[in-house]
Amino acid sequence: MKLTVDGTATEVEPRPGQCLRTLLREGSCTAVKKGCDSGDCGACTVLVDGAPVRSCLYPALRAADREVTTAAGLAPAGCLHPVQQRFVDAAGFQCGFCTPGMVVTAAALDERQRADLDEHLKGNLCRCTGYRSVREAVAGDRDPSTPPPARSGAVGEAVSAPAAHRVVTGTEPFTLDLADGDVPPGLLHVAVLRSPHAHARVRSIDVRAAAALEGVHLVLTHHDVPQVLFSTGRHQDRLDDPDDTLVLDPVLRHHGQRVAVAVAESVALAEEALRAVVVDYEVLPAVLDPHRAGEPGAPLLHADKDADASRIADPGANLVAQLHSEVGDVASAFAAAHTVVEGTWRTQRVAHLALETHGAVGWLDERGRLVVRSSTQVPFLVRDELARVLDLPRERVRVLAARVGGGFGGKQEMLVEDLVALAVLRTGRPVQYETTRREALTALPTRHPMSVRVRLGADADGTLTALAVDLLSDAGAYGNHSPGVMFHSVHESVATYRCANKRVNARAVYTNSVPSGAFRGYGLGQVVFALESALDDLARELGLDPFAVRRRNVVVPGDRFVATTDPAVTGEDDGLRFGSYGLDQCLDLVERELPRGGDPVPDGPGWRTGSGIALSMIATVPPRGHVAEVSAALLADGTWELNVGTAEFGNGTTTVHTQIAVQALGTTADRLRLRQADTDVTGHDTGAFGSAGSVVAGRALLTACERLAGQVRALAAERFGADPAEVVLHPDGVRCGNRTATLADLHAQAVRATGRGPRAEGRDDAALRSVAFNVQGFRVAVHPATGEVRVLRSVHAVDAGVVLNPVQLRGQVEGGVAQAIGSALFEEVHRHPDGSPATTSLREYHAPRAADLGETQVLFADTVDAVGPLGAKSMSEAPYNPVAPALANAVRDATGVRLRELPMRPDRVWRALREVAERA
């Protein structure tokens, strides 16, 4: 059939039943993204004869003799459509994976439709931004308080992302956006057979019929893979996570666990092969309730593991990790307290829902090395673990990441790369594996569900005298990240408040559920929900203002960070410091702004209104090691090259790194060439998690650039016979008094003298860490008859040190708040009583859409951090943490009812109000 794609006539032969999305992508139209393949996310939106359609649902045959326009064809080559330009100007994206579909949808809207974006953007999902900037871009109604994009790229300015033009046109490559020549010919595809049982043993498996199918190149079972235990969770020290996982295991411990793998000429052929695999399962008893997991007689998940070798606290009790600590005399303090409050709070299983699902493509390069291009936050850590599992020298493995379509912690794992690598090594062919949205929702890690019991004791004036936390964390079937999440969850949360007597009892347990993993906040969101709710209850019991009770008890410079131990007693130093302190300002800002403005109370009788606040503290770098090695060089043409290991997935590190280099080198952003997220370009980078990209890699980059600038000044000083301090770098070269030299001339001078151009390296090991603070305030309306909660006003204040890019930081905060509102009010991955998945598609998972979210006012404290680069702190994951308790506290203020379980769905709110009314 014939059709026109982005102005080019083409002739194609679609397969029976093929959708337009796959047809376009097979023709190298990579501006069309795959987010769901069910018409629920809008990432695949294209215009067909000017009308927007979801190309994943649109039959390819219907495009015959029609004109198809993708984001890449909205404007002539090298130009931007007005909507695309507005997305650049408004910073209307972060990871950018949803953006091509979003701009195509927006380009087709008329004036009437733009006036009702709740309705006309409901088919386009963005997980990163919170939609405020998207609304501005679509409507063309720019917030007058938002500064226009800066051209110089200097620190403190609203600099656009370097990839902005490519993102809005859909030409920025993500993981599987492969151009000609990226991968050798002969690409094969992976599909995975997954367990239909919560707990089972494979008695026998017959793959002969599957392997005999034409076009099937490989079928793998547990008989065919390395018998090396590892953890999918990745950290700088691999010993932080329990080795309890095999690539393929004959014992299946959760619904959706891998059983067999097919590698074939197409995904459809691989799936056909899996249908021919015959498996005889022995179904085993399962434990799905974490409270039962440690009881005598409970089914054991990892009794076959050696506790010491696998670093599992007690395999005979399903205990992944535990922590029991006490500072002071908690029992006596509670006995003497004027007021004691207590309660148990429960949080649910939440999906990361990055729009780009996990995926990887691998091949053998011309030197016979294994190369894997993956949607990962941690390419270096994946490289190291692949080498270990496959018994390869590290130098024989290269891992790289293109732009990654969202992460939120979910891509701090090795979930697809091992299968791709094995298939490449066994077949000698390039191999690709792209997980489906169903797999992402039913088989891949989620946020840890937790049960958190908090007890607080205080004097009559509200001074805390006793604090106790009892935590039970559901690790799921494997322990990836569970020890770290457990320890982190009770560290900064408990250390936020001064109290002489603290006790923590925490356990992470195995259950026959989908594994839990790293998630934005890394456990703090769950515990902060409980602690900040309990503190609000304490304030009410004592008749105190919620701001006042927090000011009275929060840590201040000079205090020790006391969580599970007291550094004054143990003598331990984990490097945590008050690099700066802006919590007091944050509290003042939210207290001042929360009563102002906001939406009116909805029409109709019965609505009750209330306000609530919460705060949180977070270390700017994860503990136990985080390393970044960076190099910078002056090139022969007078431009600069930066080699950084950190991946870009909407965290904004590429923009911040560009600004740091612009500042240190006296140049402009267009003169920089940044190479990143590739184990070939620099020595090591622990990865982009824990908000470390800006702080750790940023410090390393600043060091490298300052050293490089010093070398260039020294070259100029030698040329001019001057002091290096007299030399000033500027974009076109250097200036010393009235004398100038081009950077190209200085490069040539260096080559003549040393045989190479100026080059410098920087390294940071996060030996010192600072703390950042967030305060969230809400005003809400609650309808008792329906349980509906509406946010009327949202204010968030952050202590981020020097704000390197105000527009980007505002967007990070808005995105964190939006994701947290989803966790607090809507989102939950549901399971049936037998552990089988009940949430299998996006339409069954309520992630916030534009209509669900209003605007959050973002406010910045004025601080300069002594630890971070150029005085800055990290602020990507921190905004998430105080949102749920602030909402719960506002609902409590409006209704008098304390909600202790997330999400606070309307039925749950209604039921709680009804129960109180019935008791009354």
Side-chain angles (χ1 to χ4, degrees), residues 15 18 117 146 158-159 203 310 318 405 443 561 591 606 629 699 788 821 836 864:
R15 297 185 300 275
Q18 185 173 22
L117 293 183
T146 304
V159 179
R203 277 195 288 238
S310 288
N318 286 324
F561 296 111
E591 186 174 29
E629 295 174 354
R699 283 191 305 225
E788 181 183 359
I821 289 174
S836 60
V864 180

Side-chain angles (χ1 to χ4, degrees), residues 419-442:
L419 295 183
V420 168
L422 272 170
V424 169
L425 294 174
R426 297 290 175 87
T427 65
R429 297 266 296 268
V431 176
Q432 175 177 303
Y433 178 30
E434 181 179 23
T435 57
T436 65
R437 181 58 61 188
R438 181 186 177 94
E439 285 179 302
L441 285 169
T442 62

